[in-house]
Amino acid sequence: MAEDKTYPMTEEGKVKLEHELEDLKLNQRPEIINRIKIARSYGDLSENSEYESAKNEQSLLENRIKTVEHMLQYAEIIDSEKIDVTEVSVGKIVTFKELPDEDPESYTIVGAAEADPMQGKISNDSPIAKGLIGHHVDEEVNIDIPAGSMKVKILKVENA
């Protein structure tokens, strides 16, 4: 029997997903059902673009609901407080600089479900996070990235 993938995330990320699921089921699903009902009343469904559009949105919505439910079912809450304060892990903010002389960068490492690069939150599945996780402050690490590889020095690790 195949093992199900776990989804590492912070407690905050899990709560965010639970709120999203609630919104999908209680707000967005009824809206789309109503749009389908209205579009059906226009008659011939074979030439009804409103109906087709609403059905497509419904399909996307139901897929997202299934995905979020699955992620919540197999969520693995990472408590960064229990991990060595100098070790990079999910739920920690890591500051590093690319060697030899780039400026320092800081990112919060989170589970894929809560990643938001524009807010400085990178997925634990990203090449940079994968390369940093498990390493400690003052270590120099080679990270494989799509463009090749980069060498970084971990400057600071703190709880998010």
Side-chain angles (χ1 to χ4, degrees):
M1 185 170 168
E3 283 187 39
D4 286 300
K5 178 183 178 188
T6 60
Y7 296 91
M9 62 183 72
T10 63
E11 185 63 39
E12 176 187 341
K14 182 179 182 202
V15 168
K16 185 177 171 186
L17 273 181
E18 289 168 341
H19 288 301
E20 178 186 353
L21 184 60
E22 184 178 333
D23 179 58
L24 292 170
K25 287 181 170 183
L26 300 179
N27 299 320
Q28 294 184 41
R29 184 185 267 165
E31 265 180 41
I32 290 178
I33 290 170
N34 191 46
R35 285 186 44 220
I36 290 170
K37 192 167 126 180
I38 291 169
R40 261 196 193 127
S41 71
Y42 296 153
D44 186 8
L45 297 181
S46 66
E47 296 180 16
N48 188 329
S49 63
E50 289 89 357
Y51 177 78
E52 284 299 315
S53 174
K55 288 298 282 182
N56 287 337
E57 281 186 51
Q58 182 184 38
S59 177
L60 292 172
L61 176 80
E62 294 302 326
N63 284 336
R64 181 62 185 161
I65 288 171
K66 284 180 188 173
T67 299
V68 172
E69 286 176 337
H70 184 79
M71 292 171 90
L72 287 169
Q73 181 179 358
Y74 295 101
E76 177 187 351
I77 304 304
I78 304 297
D79 184 356
S80 62
E81 301 280 334
K82 293 182 178 177
I83 297 172
D84 179 6
V85 71
T86 67
E87 183 179 339
V88 178
S89 71
V90 172
K92 294 208 177 170
I93 301 168
V94 60
T95 302
F96 63 89
K97 73 174 191 169
E98 188 173 351
L99 298 175
D101 57 4
E102 294 292 323
D103 291 330
E105 301 176 48
S106 292
Y107 295 100
T108 303
I109 299 179
V110 295
E114 51 192 314
D116 185 353
M118 299 305 284
Q119 297 295 319
K121 295 180 177 183
I122 61 171
S123 166
N124 63 305
D125 289 332
S126 70
I128 291 175
K130 281 183 178 179
L132 293 171
I133 290 174
H135 292 281
H136 296 81
V137 173
D138 291 330
E139 277 190 59
E140 291 184 4
V141 181
N142 285 313
I143 300 173
D144 292 326
I145 57 173
S149 71
M150 61 190 249
K151 186 172 188 171
V152 302
K153 181 173 183 173
I154 301 170
L155 303 174
K156 182 167 73 172
V157 176
E158 55 192 319
N159 289 327

